[in-house]
Amino acid sequence: MDINNVKKELGADWSGYHETLISALCNSNEFVSKINNYLIENAGKQLRPVLSLLSARACGEPNATSHCCAAVSEMIHTATLLHDDVADDGNLRRGVPTVKAVFGQAASILAGDYWLAQALDILTQCGKDVLACYTHAVKELSIGELIQMEKAESLDTEKDDYYSIIAKKTASLFVAAMKSGAISVGASPETIGAIEKYAYELGVAFQIRDDIFDYKPSMDTGKVAGADIKERKITLPLLCAMESSSEDQAKEIREKIAHIENTLTKGGKISGAEMEIIGQVNDFVQRFNGVAKSQAILEEHSRMAVQALAPLPQCWAKERLAELAEYVGKREK
Ligand code: FPP
Ligand code: MG
């Protein structure tokens, strides 16, 4: 599937979304404009606005509020990445240096604040139900990141913790994007429930795929492979591998990771000894089939996403949502 074709199919609604986004970000200050233009030029797939508009289209007739919901989803997503690249010391995203790498940490945090504030400004025009979708998501996103930080310290992540983190840090914004799209066209509670279920399962599948990328250095994902272990993040491929190993082997690998210094306290530098540990964790994941097992789990979530669409009436937007569930599971970027 080519996501750009879906944007073409969305037609005037895609243009409406884009115009809303650009006009919300317009600022007379040169430095602000420079960062904004850098972000707009290096935009990603814009999956969340696609999902938001498809949700509105599958549930009714999209309108100006639907365009606002789509713009808010992309603006909040961008704000989280601007903050995340400071938290993770991320220097490469979408194959280009991050705002943090080009303009510095403070600029990345403040630009994130600006995009978040502009999103809030749009939300003032969207009604309290749409606003509630996003206040909930922002709370979940922040808590998800904090739990992830806590687990990077304690290194005792189990599968339940992992699912709770990804539900909060990723699926919550998928849900807000799609639920708000459905609300914007006056969908029934039953339809909104179906959309929420789809968005949640898709968000989980999306993040598992992202976590698989980290164990696939051969893939050209525009990110640095091995970064998760450097950040002491124990994700699904490693958890699945640990499940297949003996308890002693799993304990041993957790102990090795404990020797990696938390990046936050170390300014992102990585020693030769740490590189060796990252290599050993990678070998462990390959040896115990962690990637294939995670892929099977994510495909199950994609299937559940498609099933959730059953109550929606048949239409092209519903078909695209089903195709997107498959695309998310197989994407290479
Ligand atoms: C990327 O995950 C980051 C997220 C999905 C969420 C980030 C959320 C915050 C920083 C908190 C909330 C912030 C605001 C502005 C409300 P990742 O680090 O696993 O993936 P990556 O490889 O893309 O960096
Ligand atoms: Mg990150």
Side-chain angles (χ1 to χ4, degrees), residues 259-274:
H259 286 100
I260 294 180
E261 235 178 297
N262 200 330
T263 9
L264 284 178
T265 59
K266 220 190 152 200
K269 297 270 183 311
I270 184 124
S271 69
E274 288 176 332

Side-chain angles (χ1 to χ4, degrees), residues 48 75-85 87-88 90 92-93 109 112-113 115-116 137-146 148 165-166 168-171 173 206-207 210-211 214 223-224 227-228 231 233 235:
R48 290 151 195 82
M75 290 163 80
I76 294 183
H77 173 56
T78 305
T80 68
L81 296 184
L82 286 162
H83 287 187
D84 182 68
D85 287 331
D88 291 352
L92 192 70
R93 188 174 284 285
I109 295 170
D113 293 341
W115 280 57
L116 183 61
V138 169
K139 190 179 76 187
E140 293 287 282
L141 285 159
S142 317
I143 293 174
E145 284 287 299
L146 285 165
Q148 183 173 270
I165 290 169
I166 69 170
K168 290 179 192 310
K169 80 168 193 178
T170 305
L173 192 51
F206 183 90
Q207 187 59 46
D210 207 72
D211 294 336
D214 215 65
K223 294 183 185 178
V224 181
D228 283 350
E231 291 156 24
K233 283 184 196 160
T235 61

Side-chain angles (χ1 to χ4, degrees), residues 1-2 6 9 198 202 306 309 316-329:
M1 152 180 246
D2 185 348
V6 184
E9 261 179 309
Y198 167 92
L202 191 79
V306 177
L309 296 172
W316 69 266
K318 178 179 170 177
E319 280 167 27
R320 294 304 161 269
L321 288 173
E323 287 162 18
L324 270 169
E326 202 181 319
Y327 158 83
V328 157

